[in-house]
Amino acid sequence: MILGALITVVFTASNVYLGLKVGLTFSSSIPAAVISMAVLRALRGGNILENNMVQTQASAAGTLSSIIFVLPGLLMIGHWQGFPFGLTLAICASGGILGVLFTIPLRRAMVVDSDLPYPEGVAAAEILRVGSEGDDASASNSANGQSDRQSNAAGGSGVREIAFGGVVSALFAFATNGLKIFGESITAWIPAGTAVFRLTSGFSLALIGAGYLIGIISGLAILLGIILSWGIAVPVLTSITPNTDGQAMAAFANGLWQHKVRFIGAGTIGVAAVWTLITLAKPMVEGVKTSFAALGQSRARGTGVKLGRTEQDLSPRWVIGLTLVCVAVWVVTFGVFLADAPLSVGGIATLVACSVVFAVVFGFLVAAACGYMAGLVGSSASPISGIGIVAVVLVSLLILSVSQASGLLDTTAGGKLAIALALFTTAAVIAIATISNDNLQDLKTGWLVGATPWRQQVALLVGCVVGAAVIPPVLNLLYNAYGFTDALPRAGMDPSQALSAPQAILMTAIAKGIFTHQLDWSMLGIGAVVGLVMIAIDAMLAKRGGVARLPVIAVGIGIYLPPTIGSALVIGSLLGWISHRVMKARAKAHGKDFGPYAEAAERRGVLLASGLIVGESLVGVAMAMVVGFTGSDAPLAIVGSGFAGTADWIAFAAFIAVCVVLVRRVLAAVPR
């Protein structure tokens, strides 16, 4: 439990940083399992079930940190000036705990008795088995020494790959963000008459790792989004929009992208997310039905019937009791959140009741739906962003109707508070959704390796609390050091250094649009049309068969994110594709079956990519602490601003070298 808590702290901080920077988080479950195997082996006596407990607890870090997709919006509208520890902890921890509790009744129906594939849960189980091959045989197998050595090698090798990627990424990030001897990107502005084009590449190794993990199909979809944004939309707008202020070419083009083109991406993301939910409507309904049916079965089994160890969930008494405690915590939390509202006690109580009831009821339905979708397509592919969009729309409409009746919207401050309440309630729903999305994957892993369900459930509850306690201070550190897009803590800060927090901007824009009717609906409409066209193209590709697809949300992300971020993701996906193609060629040349032949190399690639993300993310958090402590934006810089041009080219050369080394290291694991 201590090891799981420590890993949770590290990976939560990493995920918060990465999520705010690019709108992506990485799964901490498999890297945690690899680290656990190495550490517990070194301490001697560790077994597969203990490794599973660590992996289960630490998986909370990769999921609960998704709360950052909403909470920064409270700073962007000016309601908060930082992240209050108590309120943030309460909304995250209680939501995460409810996400676990709401999916416990689903375990037997959707994990044991279901044929849902649970791809990530099965993958985690396989890694645990590989790392613990000698455990069960040690008492009876005379060759157990060799088996143990193989297990140690598997776990140790995995940790070495994570450490290698982490160290390389950390050094690169320190040279960039600390010493300032590396630039962050390289850009060429290309004028064509009055139109402006931009070619650029970022040098973030964390994004290279993230791109490697998302794969070539998503990478090419992001590239298409970049082309639509900077190859079509921005050039068209710069050619037809008068530059009345006489801005420099780069500033003019960036301003149009920031205030117009970005909302095309938001419209595309919104349509794609809603479409994904529509296509999964039937599984969602089945998940809700299964939840109610399983709850009745759970109560029936709680009447004194003795269950085997691998069948024991938390008892219904504990589930109901903890649920009531979490609801009570939310009542107090929302009451404190609305304490300064210009309303009577009755008006505040009405808003608290509406928010809590909505979060609990909609959260329960979302938990059942997410559990089913996680089993169907995996946790990483589940449309959490779509659920967030649906939640913020519904809760905004609910609070809008209640606020109009109570008079809250009669003042500017009251209107801001109503928007803030909608975002805060959405954060509660997202906390439930993300953890419920993860819990059944973990229970699938546990079932495959023979774990005790109730112990896993307790481990994940602890992980939720530990992760929730880490999130507020890390958010405050990052906010004070870098700021967020549309929310800078101090005057004079460089907006280009701000963390983009793309989902938070989108959620905030939707909520503000519902309450104030100030959204640029034309750009959102264009984005919606783009999304519909992409959905049609993807449907045609699906009908043809094969691997070619067009992930529409990824296209929207390519339009929405800064091109320095999107380009690095594309490069990472290309590196993964190159490695994969070389592996296939070698397998064919040797007459080998690709799967077993390339298994070790593909695993090394995943671990290296995870290390790249962790290394840069931890340096980002550490540098935020240094910046916050010193009050200087570049306290460790050893060169001045005049070195910036040279730094860009040095970073470019180092970036290319690191990419080559990474591909070669992955391919070195392929048998010759």
Side-chain angles (χ1 to χ4, degrees):
M1 297 302 289
I2 294 173
L3 177 60
L6 293 174
I7 296 174
T8 299
V9 168
V10 172
F11 283 151
T12 299
S14 301
N15 262 315
V16 168
Y17 174 78
L18 187 68
L20 289 172
K21 185 171 184 179
V22 300
L24 298 170
T25 57
F26 67 98
S27 174
S28 55
S29 183
I30 290 176
V34 173
I35 294 172
S36 172
M37 287 188 290
V39 173
L40 294 184
R41 283 284 185 180
L43 296 176
R44 300 190 181 278
N47 59 53
I48 191 170
L49 299 184
E50 291 177 331
N51 288 323
N52 174 241
M53 292 291 285
V54 176
Q55 169 256 324
T56 298
Q57 185 179 349
S59 68
T63 50
L64 190 59
S65 53
S66 296
I67 197 77
I68 61 170
F69 295 162
V70 182
L71 283 182
L74 295 170
L75 281 70
M76 294 173 184
I77 65 172
H79 181 75
W80 279 357
Q81 304 305 314
F83 296 91
F85 181 82
L87 289 177
T88 307
L89 171 65
I91 203 72
C92 294
S94 296
I97 290 171
L98 287 174
V100 176
L101 299 175
F102 287 168
T103 48
I104 286 174
L106 294 169
R107 186 189 66 83
R108 168 165 286 279
M110 295 179 64
V111 173
V112 179
D113 298 334
S114 170
D115 59 356
L116 291 170
Y118 289 100
E120 290 149 340
V122 172
E126 288 303 314
I127 286 180
L128 289 173
R129 285 168 174 164
V130 169
S132 304
E133 286 174 349
D135 291 341
D136 295 331
S138 59
S140 57
N141 189 347
S142 60
N144 66 335
Q146 180 182 356
S147 182
D148 283 342
R149 285 192 297 274
Q150 291 172 346
S151 299
N152 275 311
S157 174
V159 172
R160 282 197 298 272
E161 299 309 325
I162 292 178
F164 180 84
V167 169
V168 170
S169 180
L171 291 174
F172 199 100
F174 183 67
T176 303
N177 300 320
L179 303 179
K180 300 294 184 181
I181 57 175
F182 284 1
E184 295 186 348
S185 62
I186 193 165
T187 298
W189 295 95
I190 305 172
T194 56
V196 178
F197 296 83
R198 181 181 184 182
L199 294 177
T200 187
S201 175
F203 300 143
S204 167
L205 295 187
L207 298 181
I208 293 297
Y212 191 101
L213 294 176
I214 66 175
I216 188 62
I217 293 176
S218 294
L220 291 178
I222 292 174
L223 177 60
L224 175 59
I226 296 173
I227 293 171
L228 291 174
S229 177
W230 288 94
I232 298 177
V234 171
V236 168
L237 287 173
T238 50
S239 65
I240 64 175
T241 304
N243 186 1
T244 55
D245 295 332
Q247 292 178 296
M249 177 175 59
F252 180 54
N254 268 328
L256 288 172
W257 171 81
Q258 180 81 10
H259 298 105
K260 290 187 176 293
V261 177
R262 192 175 66 179
F263 286 96
I264 297 177
T268 304
I269 292 171
V271 166
V274 172
W275 172 250
T276 305
L277 290 177
I278 291 172
T279 59
L280 292 174
K282 184 177 179 180
M284 288 172 65
V285 172
E286 292 299 321
V288 173
K289 290 180 179 177
T290 302
S291 182
F292 282 109
L295 183 59
Q297 295 172 9
S298 177
R299 287 176 175 172
R301 288 195 300 272
T303 58
V305 179
K306 182 66 175 177
L307 298 175
R309 179 182 63 81
T310 59
E311 294 294 331
Q312 296 174 8
D313 293 298
L314 280 176
S315 70
R317 182 179 301 175
W318 275 101
V319 172
I320 294 171
L322 288 173
T323 299
L324 293 176
V325 170
C326 289
V327 172
V329 169
W330 269 1
V331 169
V332 174
T333 301
F334 278 90
V336 173
F337 188 83
L338 291 170
D340 296 330
L343 296 172
S344 64
V345 174
I348 292 176
T350 300
L351 285 174
V352 169
C354 288
S355 299
V356 173
V357 169
F358 176 88
V360 172
V361 174
F362 190 72
F364 176 76
L365 300 178
V366 162
C370 283
Y372 199 100
M373 289 187 291
L376 193 66
V377 298
S379 299
S380 300
S382 294
I384 295 296
S385 58
I387 288 171
I389 289 171
V390 172
V392 76
V393 169
L394 292 178
V395 76
S396 295
L397 292 173
L398 173 64
I399 293 174
L400 178 63
S401 62
V402 175
S403 299
Q404 285 176 333
S406 65
L408 181 62
L409 302 181
D410 294 344
T411 64
T412 302
K416 181 188 294 185
L417 181 60
I419 297 171
L421 180 60
L423 293 173
F424 198 62
T425 308
T426 303
V429 174
I430 290 291
I432 295 176
T434 53
I435 291 296
S436 63
N437 207 30
D438 171 71
N439 187 31
L440 291 178
Q441 291 283 0
D442 289 330
L443 292 175
K444 180 69 172 183
T445 301
W447 181 66
L448 291 174
V449 302
T452 306
W454 75 264
R455 295 180 186 274
Q456 282 190 283
Q457 291 151 12
V458 170
L460 194 54
L461 293 175
V462 174
C464 289
V465 175
V466 173
V470 174
I471 288 172
V474 173
L475 280 173
N476 278 317
L477 272 172
L478 296 176
Y479 171 62
N480 287 313
Y482 305 115
F484 306 141
T485 301
D486 298 338
L488 298 177
R490 297 180 300 279
M493 294 186 69
D494 184 0
S496 67
Q497 300 296 316
L499 300 173
S500 61
Q503 283 93 339
I505 292 176
L506 177 57
M507 300 291 183
T508 304
I510 292 171
K512 289 175 67 176
I514 290 174
F515 282 93
T516 66
H517 309 289
Q518 292 181 350
L519 277 180
D520 190 339
W521 292 105
S522 62
M523 292 294 112
L524 284 172
I526 293 172
V529 171
V530 170
L532 291 173
V533 172
M534 296 298 161
I535 288 170
I537 295 173
D538 183 54
M540 289 189 290
L541 291 173
K543 189 174 181 179
R544 288 182 55 189
V547 298
R549 296 296 300 272
L550 184 62
V552 184
I553 288 181
V555 177
I557 288 174
I559 299 172
Y560 190 85
L561 287 177
T564 52
I565 292 174
S567 60
L569 291 170
V570 173
I571 292 170
S573 69
L574 286 172
L575 294 180
W577 178 77
I578 291 170
S579 301
H580 187 79
R581 296 291 295 181
V582 173
M583 291 179 211
K584 289 192 72 172
R586 290 185 183 177
K588 184 177 180 180
H590 289 80
K592 301 288 187 180
D593 183 43
F594 175 74
Y597 181 80
E599 180 180 3
E602 291 198 319
R603 177 173 176 266
R604 175 177 286 186
V606 169
L607 295 172
L608 277 171
S610 300
L612 292 177
I613 295 171
V614 172
E616 180 175 322
S617 300
L618 292 182
V619 168
V621 173
M623 284 304 304
M625 295 175 65
V626 174
V627 170
F629 181 77
T630 61
S632 169
D633 289 340
L636 303 180
I638 60 176
V639 294
S641 58
F643 192 74
T646 304
D648 289 342
W649 288 105
I650 293 175
F652 178 71
F655 180 74
I656 296 297
V658 170
C659 289
V660 172
V661 169
L662 293 173
V663 172
R664 292 174 64 89
R665 188 173 180 90
V666 171
L667 295 177
V670 181
R672 291 193 175 268

